[in-house]
Amino acid sequence: MTYLGMPTGRGNISTPAKFPVLAETALANSQLRRNLANATTTIRAKRAGVVAELPDWQQLRAAGAAIKDDVLAHLGEYLEQLEQRVTERGGTVHWAPDAQAANQIVVELARQAGAREVVKVKSMATQEIGLNEALAAAGIPAWETDLAELIVQLGHDKPSHILVPAIHRNRAEIREIFLREMAEVDPRLSDEPAALAEAARRHLRRKFLLAEVAVSGANFAVAETGTLAVVESEGNGRMCLTLPRTLITVMGIEKLLPTWRDLEVFLQLLPRSSTGERMNPYTSMWTGATEGQQFHLVLLDNGRTATLADPAGRSALRCIRCSACLNVCPVYERTGGHAYGSVYPGPIGAVLSPQLTGLGGNRTNASLPYASSLCGACYQVCPVAIDIPSMLVHLRARAVAAEPRYSPERVSMAALAWAMADAGRWRRALRLGRFGRLFRRSRLLPPPLSGWTSSRELPVPPRETFRDWWQREGRDETTVVEAGRSEPAGRRLAETEPGASQPGPTESGAAG
Amino acid sequence: MRVALYVTCLVDGLFPDVGKATVRLLRRLGCQVEVPLEQTCCGQMHINTGYPKAALPLIRNEVAAFAGYDAVVLPSGSCTGSVRHQHAELAESAGDRELAESVRELAGRTHELSEFLVDVLQTTDVGAYYPHRVTYHPTCHSLRLLGVADRPLRLLREVAGIDLVELPQAESCCGFGGTFALKNAGVSTAMLADKMRAVLDTGAEVCSAGDSSCLMHIGGGLGRLRSGVRTVHLAQILASSR
């Protein structure tokens, strides 16, 4: 707990090592690279197609952002309204400050319901808190029913994408996992997708019919009516939400909508942004519980109020977990989700995971805001217009502020800033850069500059800086300005190899 | 019109030919070009690495340097983006309302080079001659932050003698990203590999862009591969003549 009483996020939202280290492993995994490139390219195109169909997409985005900002501005009130409505309609609401509390609540509820096992609908929130592990430790196995989550679970693995968690697996691997882990599976199982899906369907059917307790997440909770909504593709959600006698839903406190009418905006934004469909196959909504059934809603904080506290960071809580940002991110496309360490990877993960856990004292999560070239593709596709690039820059400043005062980076940045602060100093500093010409035959530089020369030639510093040229002759309007040679990095070769080909004559400056 | 060149620290110290080309080009188009030397750097490297306060003196330098000019032109999409989208907010956060107002006013007359040529000088034919096969990479800040759209391409299409070929997956980031290129050198290289593949697939002799930073990265990779393809800034192509 922070001293202000805002719970710090715990659970599977922390990375075990700094991003660049984990990324190196991922970059070398050619199977992963193929899977990711194929999947993200496909979903990107689908999303672009269905978004282009809507003439009012930008207004929908603006509405989505405004509705979520309203929720965040009045979060306490909406949560209390939600609790009231759910309770009126026969449900019970529980408040969990952090992952541990949430797990304890769910384990206790499952015990009270006499469950020997539970079935699960895919839920990022339950992965965040590590619920399956907590239930297993209490002797109550939890069975994932979403096909991709099932694959991850049977493979004793971790999800690597918000929407398609098993994206790092190919069909041959999935077949092997099923053969090894599923009881009563046909030993002649092929790796055809239809055959694999059928095997999963048979495996799950018994579980659905026998389960007494189901655990789900929720995409939306409507404060006005106490209604929860799950948006899904496979129908396993529908099975889990209706058959078992007891339903426990774990939901992040930010997943609210103020009114029933607001669903109109989000049910257009979400399917198009996530699976690239006009509408997903199954949307289930329920309010409270009917007689003979029990419904429990566990509201999860786990670092969300801490995130809310930062005005420049809180819009990350608008997120509706569509994963559109993951699918357009050039970094995610090449590293996959495991490199981020958290169940929330990619651009949104880079801003959400460190805010949930806090940046002070979490050196590895502090590397996440730097896992970006700030290209801005994520901001363009976010259905609730989260300005992720600006937020990444802001979180980098928070990360630096949490670092020790005299890190080597801080010292060199300060020295450079000092040189740049005064034009005279800067002119002299730029001239010193010419000493770099001494190193123009160097292949390797010391770290961190070695990061550059590991794959790129260095530019050769010029004999004269621009501002010196300007003072010497450039400012005189009668000077004939030559456009000059034009090889930032190639030039070193032309200079060291006699007879090397010169750039075209036009670049050597005919009279202007 | 009195035009000031915001040369940018990278061009100033490493690629002065880009600055010279910009001066040559603007003069050819009838501008009176000045380079007020109180300017140093836009500070985006510090801002984007997590040291925003370091940029405050730099912002004061630019406000002082460019006071009184009708237009300020930058041969860099990312630096223009920093002036337009980062500086005022930074000044506000530091509690300096006056500086914020001054830099907002400055931002209103600050233009990336292709914006200046097309929107202010209202020209796409700048009288250039460049008989080479060229492919153009739209840098992320120009593309997504400034929204320059197809201005650079419209300018390049009017260049006499040019063989302009479209770059496949042009909108993919090249992987430079400032200090990202060092802190995440592995991913940066992976992104660079794909960008280089696209460039080489065009058969172009020259890869151009409006940002020296991206060109330094792409050119550095193409040079390491001994690909025989070179990088040339948009300003240098447009400044070239018979």
Side-chain angles (χ1 to χ4, degrees):
Chain A
M1 303 277 280
T2 67
Y3 76 92
L4 281 176
M6 293 178 295
T8 315
R10 295 260 177 274
N12 298 319
I13 43 178
S14 223
T15 174
K18 291 190 179 181
F19 181 83
V21 172
L22 297 175
E24 279 299 301
T25 309
L27 288 170
N29 183 339
S30 46
Q31 175 77 80
L32 176 70
R33 297 282 300 266
R34 284 304 130 258
N35 290 2
L36 283 170
N38 289 338
T40 57
T41 307
T42 307
I43 307 181
R44 267 206 294 273
K46 285 183 75 176
R47 179 209 161 267
V50 295
V51 162
E53 283 180 356
L54 294 183
D56 60 349
W57 180 254
Q58 294 306 325
Q59 283 107 300
L60 277 170
R61 285 180 84 210
I67 294 168
K68 281 291 179 178
D69 282 349
D70 176 45
V71 167
L72 296 174
H74 305 103
L75 192 57
E77 295 155 41
Y78 284 127
L79 283 170
E80 287 184 332
Q81 185 187 16
L82 178 71
E83 179 184 43
Q84 205 179 352
R85 292 283 171 271
V86 169
T87 312
E88 278 165 13
R89 298 293 297 269
T92 312
V93 178
H94 311 259
W95 300 71
D98 59 22
Q100 198 181 6
N103 286 333
Q104 276 169 353
I105 292 167
V106 176
V107 166
E108 194 44 44
L109 289 171
R111 274 202 187 114
Q112 281 170 15
R116 278 155 305 168
E117 55 182 16
V118 310
V119 286
K120 283 195 65 205
V121 188
K122 176 177 170 5
S123 157
M124 295 305 305
T126 61
Q127 278 168 354
E128 178 187 327
I129 63 180
L131 178 63
N132 292 8
E133 290 76 18
L135 283 167
I140 306 172
W143 304 112
E144 295 288 354
T145 63
D146 177 276
L147 178 56
E149 292 291 3
L150 176 67
I151 292 166
V152 170
Q153 182 173 51
L154 292 177
H156 306 290
D157 200 354
K158 281 190 154 50
S160 67
H161 187 289
I162 288 173
L163 195 68
V164 285
I167 200 172
H168 55 291
R169 295 279 189 205
N170 65 19
R171 342 183 188 155
E173 290 174 308
I174 296 169
R175 173 182 167 272
E176 274 165 48
I177 290 168
F178 283 6
L179 283 172
R180 200 175 57 228
E181 304 280 339
M182 277 179 181
E184 299 173 29
V185 68
D186 184 345
R188 291 160 304 169
L189 180 67
S190 77
D191 68 0
E192 288 300 311
L196 294 172
E198 180 61 21
R201 194 166 169 272
R202 284 178 185 283
H203 173 83
L204 291 171
R205 186 61 43 152
R206 296 179 74 243
K207 301 245 180 265
F208 289 139
L209 296 173
L210 295 176
E212 305 253 325
V213 177
V215 175
S216 83
N219 292 96
F220 308 106
V222 180
E224 181 189 38
T225 58
T227 306
L228 284 99
V230 160
V231 171
E232 54 149 345
S233 299
E234 294 164 24
N236 58 300
R238 183 65 60 80
M239 299 292 267
C240 293
L241 296 167
T242 52
L243 289 176
R245 249 202 306 255
T246 303
L247 173 63
I248 305 169
T249 296
V250 179
M251 187 188 83
I253 54 175
E254 82 281 26
K255 303 298 269 301
L256 289 181
L257 296 178
T259 67
W260 180 261
R261 180 147 183 208
D262 297 320
L263 282 168
E264 173 204 334
V265 169
F266 288 90
L267 290 178
Q268 292 184 76
L269 289 174
L270 183 56
R272 290 185 195 248
S273 301
S274 59
T275 48
E277 301 172 292
R278 294 178 185 134
M279 194 167 128
N280 57 293
Y282 299 92
T283 300
S284 305
M285 301 193 213
W286 70 101
T287 310
T290 54
E291 200 180 304
Q293 292 196 307
Q294 284 208 358
F295 172 57
H296 295 272
L297 176 61
V298 181
L299 296 172
L300 177 69
D301 186 324
N302 206 35
R304 286 155 176 76
T305 32
T307 307
L308 192 61
D310 181 353
R314 66 174 59 128
S315 60
L317 294 174
R318 290 184 198 154
C319 178
I320 58 175
R321 308 292 190 266
C322 72
S323 77
C325 59
L326 272 67
N327 298 328
V328 295
C329 178
V331 174
Y332 178 85
E333 183 177 328
R334 292 168 177 84
T335 61
H338 292 164
Y340 295 78
S342 161
V343 298
Y344 302 120
I348 188 61
V351 297
L352 193 55
S353 311
Q355 289 196 82
L356 292 174
T357 61
L359 281 149
N362 189 328
R363 297 279 193 85
T364 52
N365 263 16
S367 69
L368 292 180
Y370 290 92
S372 166
S373 64
L374 303 177
C375 82
C378 51
Y379 185 15
Q380 279 195 314
V381 300
C382 177
V384 285
I386 302 171
D387 185 351
I388 298 176
S390 298
M391 199 179 292
L392 288 165
V393 169
H394 168 74
L395 290 175
R396 291 174 185 190
R398 276 181 57 181
V400 164
E403 279 286 310
R405 288 198 130 255
Y406 296 108
S407 67
E409 181 186 274
R410 192 189 281 262
V411 169
S412 35
M413 292 298 268
L416 190 57
W418 177 81
M420 286 174 164
D422 172 77
R425 270 202 302 263
W426 183 233
R427 191 184 74 236
R428 291 190 289 279
L430 280 177
R431 287 197 189 132
L432 285 178
R434 291 176 304 165
F435 283 114
R437 291 175 65 80
L438 292 172
F439 298 105
R440 69 182 179 277
R441 286 189 182 77
S442 304
R443 275 289 112 84
L444 296 172
L445 288 179
L449 298 175
S450 52
W452 186 271
T453 50
S454 63
S455 60
R456 295 155 281 217
E457 301 289 90
L458 281 171
V460 180
R463 288 190 174 89
E464 184 180 50
T465 64
F466 175 84
R467 62 178 62 214
D468 283 346
W469 168 81
W470 177 260
Q471 295 230 263
R472 185 174 58 78
E473 69 168 28
R475 62 178 3 152
D476 180 353
E477 290 202 14
T478 64
T479 303
V480 167
V481 182
E482 307 216 333
R485 293 163 65 188
S486 54
E487 297 179 53
R491 201 197 308 169
R492 54 177 292 151
L493 300 174
E495 283 184 0
T496 58
E497 294 169 18
S501 63
Q502 299 291 311
T506 52
E507 287 165 298
S508 311
Chain B
M1 62 163 21
R2 274 185 85 214
V3 175
L5 177 62
Y6 197 160
V7 65
T8 79
C9 67
L10 205 58
V11 167
D12 201 351
L14 278 178
F15 307 112
D17 287 343
V18 174
K20 292 179 194 174
T22 310
V23 169
R24 178 182 142 106
L25 172 66
L26 293 175
R27 280 183 181 159
R28 187 168 81 214
L29 296 173
C31 299
Q32 182 194 340
V33 182
E34 290 171 38
V35 184
L37 291 178
E38 296 102 312
Q39 62 178 282
T40 52
C41 167
C42 72
Q44 66 171 302
M45 186 183 75
H46 283 84
I47 299 170
N48 291 342
T49 309
Y51 303 86
K53 293 211 188 83
L56 285 168
L58 280 53
I59 298 173
R60 288 192 191 100
N61 288 347
E62 79 189 6
V63 165
F66 299 114
Y69 288 95
D70 299 314
V72 178
V73 180
L74 295 97
S76 163
S78 59
C79 303
T80 311
S82 188
V83 174
R84 230 180 250 171
H85 295 278
Q86 292 182 320
H87 288 187
E89 199 185 277
L90 225 152
E92 291 279 3
S93 310
D96 195 337
R97 273 278 155 81
E98 218 184 287
L99 182 63
E101 264 318 298
S102 304
V103 79
R104 248 176 230 123
E105 189 277 326
L106 169 64
R109 50 193 165 88
T110 295
H111 312 273
E112 179 270 338
L113 179 64
S114 71
E115 289 178 332
F116 182 71
L117 296 171
V118 175
D119 299 342
V120 180
L121 296 188
Q122 310 243 295
T123 181
T124 47
D125 183 350
V126 299
Y129 173 66
Y130 196 75
H132 302 277
R133 182 172 244 202
V134 175
T135 190
Y136 180 77
H137 162 66
T139 57
C140 295
H141 284 101
S142 286
L143 183 65
R144 298 192 182 92
L145 196 60
L146 303 181
V148 305
D150 65 347
R151 288 175 184 74
L153 287 171
R154 286 161 60 194
L155 290 160
L156 286 169
R157 280 185 204 123
E158 306 271 4
V159 173
I162 201 171
D163 176 12
L164 188 62
V165 283
E166 194 182 321
L167 180 66
Q169 290 99 52
E171 302 195 348
S172 294
C173 177
C174 71
F176 176 69
T179 48
F180 175 80
L182 297 178
K183 286 174 180 266
N184 275 289
V187 183
S188 175
T189 300
M191 292 164 71
L192 174 62
D194 288 336
K195 181 60 66 178
M196 289 196 291
R197 191 193 319 148
V199 169
L200 294 172
D201 279 350
T202 64
E205 184 192 332
V206 170
C207 171
S208 184
D211 267 277
S212 296
S213 45
C214 304
L215 287 176
M216 177 171 70
H217 168 76
I218 298 171
L222 290 170
R224 176 60 60 89
L225 291 181
R226 308 296 193 260
S227 64
V229 178
R230 68 181 188 280
T231 49
V232 178
H233 193 282
L234 178 67
Q236 292 173 291
I237 294 180
L238 297 178
S240 295
S241 57
R242 290 179 201 277

